[in-house]
Structures are given as C-alpha cells and as structure tokens.
Amino acid sequence: MLHVERGGNGPLLVLLHGLGATGEVWNDVVEDWHGSWLVPDLPGHGRSGRLDRYTFGSIAAAVAESIPQQPVVVVGHSLGGVIALTLASGWFGVDVTTCVGVGIKVRWTDEELEKAASLANKPAKIFDTKEEAEERANKMAGVKLAHGVSAVDGGWTPALDMKAFGVGRPDMPGLIMTSKAQITLAAGENDPMSPREHLEELVPEPVIFPGAGHNVHVESPSSVTGLLAQVATNPPSAASTAPVM
C-alpha cells in the first residue's frame, strides 16, 4: 500500500521522488502548481509498504494503482524519472500526456551496478537513536527528510528498503522510444549523475538548470515549476524539444 498525498483542483500533476527520498521533497513545487497534484512515497520508501522485488515495472505498477483515470502530467526525479517514463509507455493504464524526467542517471558502469546490488543485499542498519537513523536516511537521500526513519525492535532504522537499490539499469532509449507522452529530460548544471552530454544522447535539447545540483526540485523549486508551466501546455509534437533554461 502506498502512502499518497493529494491536493488542489484541476489538471493533475503526479510527482515521483528519487531513490532514498520521500514525497515530501516536492512540497515547495506543489505549492505553485495551478491544478491538482498527487505525490506518493514510492514502494519501500517513507510511509509506503514494501515490494517482494523491485523493478521499474513493479514500482510503476504500484504507483499506477493510485493514479485516477484522467490525463496527467508526470514528473520524476532520478529513480522517479525512470518510473515516470515507464508509466508514459501506457503499459500500466495511465494516460500520461507530458513526462518530465529530472536528474536521471543515464550511464551506469559495471562497478556502480555491482555496488548497488551489494547494498540491496545488506540488512538495514539499526541505530540506538532516532537522530542517528535520520542522519543515515538523509545521507542516502541526499536531502533532509521528515519521514525517513522507522522505529523497530532495538532502535531506529531508515525507512528505505535496502532491496530497492537492486532495481538495476534503466533502458532509457527503449523507454523514450515506447513513450506515448511528450518527453522532457532535465538536470541541474552541476549534477554529476546526469550531465548534459549524457542527456543529449537521448534528446536533442535537454533542459539545464543553471547553478543547480542533483536535487534541483529542493534547491530551486521555482525552476521546476517554471519548466512545468512551459511544457505542460506544449503540444505533443514538441516532445523532447523544450529549450535550455
């Protein structure tokens, strides 16, 4: 079962966070959205339940169950961006008209994949205090979280299910090819995980946010809302051609 926050009225915006984070990272973005919004904690994160196995498809299927049958704009950060693209395929019954992926890691080395698989096989660490667990959860998310830990027998632990690290390498060219939505890829100018040259291998004009790092939606939420105001009103023929900001 997913924990989902909802609000607003009008055109629906779905926002998907990255690995280790929770839906709360979008708080400052939804404040300026002109329509309605839906923000889940992804499976195995925050206040949501866990999955037996984490794949892009299994996560997308879980998210799709919470999205109503209507046209939606989906924005995802990092892992959430891959899930947004997966939903944009139409395979999960979600009518995605516009898909924005922010800070998606496109290139993966064998060493990086092995490290992620190793983390997925490690048991969650239990800390004596809530503060220690929060410090660990915030480090994994790359941002400060209010709902990143859980109480367990013996102390506190990050709420993130470590098995989620084993989700694997996304087939970005395949996801873009099968998308039925208008696609925009974006990243912070200083995002080491998603440099412009990597995104340019997939789309002709990725959106680059000046001065921002990996978590641009937290660092500069107005940049993200500005992009949404632009791409959410563009016709589908404009897919993948949003101008550089």
Side-chain angles (χ1 to χ4, degrees), residues 32-231:
D32 293 327
W33 178 245
H34 62 275
S36 60
W37 50 267
L38 184 154
V39 182
D41 288 352
L42 294 180
H45 293 71
R47 293 156 287 182
S48 287
R50 299 185 173 195
L51 299 176
D52 293 332
R53 182 168 177 259
Y54 293 90
T55 66
F56 301 117
S58 67
I59 298 172
V63 171
E65 292 181 2
S66 68
I67 300 176
Q69 294 295 311
Q70 66 183 85
V72 299
V73 174
V74 182
V75 181
H77 173 252
S78 199
L79 168 62
V82 180
I83 304 306
L85 287 168
T86 305
L87 291 170
S89 67
W91 297 336
F92 299 90
V94 180
D95 182 9
V96 181
T97 60
T98 300
C99 176
V100 180
V102 181
I104 298 175
K105 182 173 173 60
V106 173
R107 295 184 186 176
W108 288 82
T109 66
D110 290 341
E111 182 180 1
E112 288 170 335
L113 290 169
E114 289 171 4
K115 182 178 180 180
S118 175
L119 287 170
N121 289 320
K122 288 185 176 180
K125 188 171 182 180
I126 298 176
F127 295 86
D128 292 332
T129 68
K130 184 178 181 181
E131 290 72 23
E132 290 175 303
E134 287 176 337
E135 182 178 355
R136 175 61 175 164
N138 293 344
K139 183 177 181 180
M140 289 192 292
V143 294
K144 187 174 181 180
L145 303 173
H147 303 286
V149 301
S150 301
V152 296
D153 289 341
W156 295 83
T157 188
L160 171 65
D161 186 354
M162 296 297 289
K163 291 181 181 178
F165 277 102
V167 70
R169 185 204 321 256
D171 177 11
M172 291 293 291
L175 287 171
I176 290 173
M177 185 179 299
T178 58
S179 173
K180 301 184 185 322
Q182 168 189 345
I183 294 174
T184 296
L185 297 184
E189 179 184 20
N190 301 318
D191 185 350
M193 296 180 66
S194 188
R196 176 174 181 163
E197 58 268 25
H198 293 186
L199 299 181
E200 286 177 335
E201 297 174 359
L202 299 168
V203 297
E205 294 185 62
V207 173
I208 305 301
F209 300 106
H214 185 56
N215 290 294
V216 61
H217 53 310
V218 177
E219 301 168 33
S220 179
S222 61
S223 297
V224 176
T225 54
L227 173 61
L228 289 176
Q230 178 184 346
V231 302

